[in-house]
Every structure is written in structure tokens, then in C-alpha cells.
Amino acid sequence: MSVEQTLSIIKPDGVQKNLIGEIYSRFEKAGLEIVAARMLRLSKQQAEGFYAVHAERPFFKDLVSYMTSGPVMVQALQGEDAIAKNRQIMGATNPAEADKGTIRADFADSIEENIVHGSDAADTAQQEIAFFFGDDGVCERTR
Ligand code: IDP
Ligand code: MG
């Protein structure tokens, strides 16, 4: 285990359901620190770029339209094992398969509208944090 950073997004359905505080509380109770945060409405180009890895998937067009349907809340999380810990708190992609007590089991409506994004590995975490926060947009926790 080591201290890691990971990227989290509260997707448009999570913002619409007024879950920002609830989700932040779950992160903080699990020992994850928020080290960067911003709300924005993704452009089509941003959503396509962020999810470029899924460009050939049949659901790609719908995914881009979902992700641009309203504002998202984007944050970098820091802590021991942050990448895996965030994925545990989120639950499986399909809420029907997500463990009880996870964000997706508790709040998601479908495999597409599943409330949150989380980086899946160290390299993607680094790329995704840079995508939203550049080189200097993450705050060091000095206390
Ligand atoms: P993840 O968000 O759990 O990492 P990915 O496989 O990376 O899941 O897929 C990215 C996003 O694309 C999912 O969170 C979900 O919003 C959407 N998605 C994934 N699989 C499907 C599907 O089979 N149908 C519709 N949307 C999907
Ligand atoms: Mg993924």
C-alpha cells in the first residue's frame, strides 16, 4: 500500500440527485482527502476525449450525451490505496451487480447512469488528474 491520488467524477445524475455532500462524506469517512475540486459542464469534445478509450464501444455516443447532459463535479482524491479504495466505495459498473452500501448500489439507476467515475489504475489516474487539473491544480495537504 502507498499513498496514491485518483480522479473521481460525480456524473450529471449524481449532481442532479443532490448527492455531492453525501458522496464527499463517504470519501472522507473512508480516509480519502479531497486535494482538488471543480464543477463544470463537459463539452462534447471534452467528454469524447476523456472517454476516448471507449470510442469503439456501442454505448459511446450515449455515454457522451449522458456526460454532457448537465454539470459534473470533478475531484482528485488522495490517500492510502486511493485508486482501489475509491473503486470499492463506488461499487461495480452495473449497479445491479454492485455490493450493498456502495454508491452505485445505493443511488444508480442503470449501468450507464451510474453516478460516479473513478480511475482504474495508476497511469490512468495520473492522466485523468492532468486532464482536469493540469500540472499545478492539485493542492498539497500541508496540515
Ligand atoms: P467504470 O466507470 O466502472 O470504470 P467502464 O467500463 O470504464 O466502467 O465504462 C465507463 C462508463 O461507460 C460506465 O461508468 C458507464 O457510465 C458507461 N458504460 C459502461 N458499460 C456500459 C454498457 O454496457 N452500456 C451503457 N453504458 C455503459
Ligand atoms: Mg472505467
Side-chain angles (χ1 to χ4, degrees):
M1 292 228 301
S2 61
V3 174
E4 297 173 335
Q5 293 182 345
T6 190
L7 188 89
S8 158
I9 303 177
I10 303 175
K11 296 177 176 183
D13 50 331
V15 173
Q16 178 181 21
K17 290 179 176 179
N18 240 7
L19 292 170
I20 295 170
E22 167 71 29
I23 291 170
Y24 273 30
S25 173
R26 292 183 184 211
F27 293 152
E28 292 186 335
K29 283 183 182 136
L32 295 172
E33 297 170 330
I34 294 157
V35 289
R38 67 186 277 224
M39 181 179 269
L40 76 161
R41 178 135 183 211
L42 292 173
S43 66
K44 183 166 176 276
Q45 196 182 15
Q46 280 174 311
E48 286 172 349
F50 183 78
Y51 276 124
V53 66
H54 294 307
E56 303 307 320
R57 307 284 284 275
F59 57 79
F60 183 67
K61 211 167 164 244
D62 285 347
L63 176 60
V64 169
S65 110
Y66 157 51
M67 289 299 291
T68 56
S69 64
V72 295
M73 191 74 205
V74 187
Q75 42 285 326
L77 308 176
Q78 176 174 284
E80 281 288 335
D81 233 0
I83 297 166
K85 198 178 268 183
N86 180 40
R87 298 283 315 192
Q88 267 167 22
I89 296 167
M90 291 164 56
T93 308
N94 184 351
E97 292 166 9
D99 288 342
K100 224 174 144 222
T102 61
I103 292 169
R104 284 166 165 173
D106 287 350
F107 303 118
D109 289 334
S110 69
I111 190 169
E112 179 182 82
E113 299 224 350
N114 60 6
I115 306 279
V116 276
H117 166 83
S119 309
D120 58 10
D123 56 345
T124 49
Q126 201 180 10
Q127 287 159 21
E128 291 176 1
I129 290 170
F131 185 94
F132 286 105
F133 298 110
D135 289 337
D136 60 356
V138 174
C139 285
E140 191 185 349
R141 284 292 189 107
T142 54
R143 57 177 289 180

